[in-house]
Amino acid sequence: MKKIDPSRTDIAHEFKARPYGPHSPDLQKVLSVMRWRETPGKYVLVETSVPNQWVLGRLPARRGEPVELYDQPVFDRHEDGLWHLCLLYTSPSPRDR
């Protein structure tokens, strides 16, 4: 499985500037890893019952089970939520240190 290199801050800055694209080939590879790898507990953005408001959710271990929703943080801009997800996936986890 491909890993995301947290030292590639240039890719993170590119994503922050243009979260909806167009994306460079390097950024596209990172987004593919983030979006498509099968990982129980993957974080996602979930729109709340309030229009244009998003919170973090965590996918269950098994398909069909409910998504775990978090009350905080709340994002009023989809782009801010995407940036938060980017930081979650590109920051080294304690087990990688």
Side-chain angles (χ1 to χ4, degrees), residues 1-5 25 28-30 32-34 37:
M1 175 186 302
K2 293 183 180 182
K3 289 200 172 204
I4 297 171
D5 180 358
Q28 191 60 51
K29 289 175 190 172
V30 168
S32 292
V33 169
M34 289 171 52
R37 74 175 165 197

Side-chain angles (χ1 to χ4, degrees), residues 24-76:
S24 70
D26 285 346
L27 176 53
Q28 191 60 51
K29 289 175 190 172
V30 168
L31 292 174
S32 292
V33 169
M34 289 171 52
R35 291 176 179 159
W36 300 113
R37 74 175 165 197
E38 300 262 340
T39 307
K42 184 190 308 188
Y43 290 102
V44 294
L45 282 181
V46 179
E47 190 168 13
T48 68
S49 59
V50 177
N52 297 315
Q53 186 179 80
W54 293 267
V55 295
L56 289 179
R58 201 156 193 182
L59 297 180
R62 286 189 220 137
R63 189 178 291 256
E65 293 179 358
V67 173
E68 179 182 3
L69 297 178
Y70 295 91
D71 293 334
Q72 296 294 324
V74 176
F75 305 100
D76 295 325

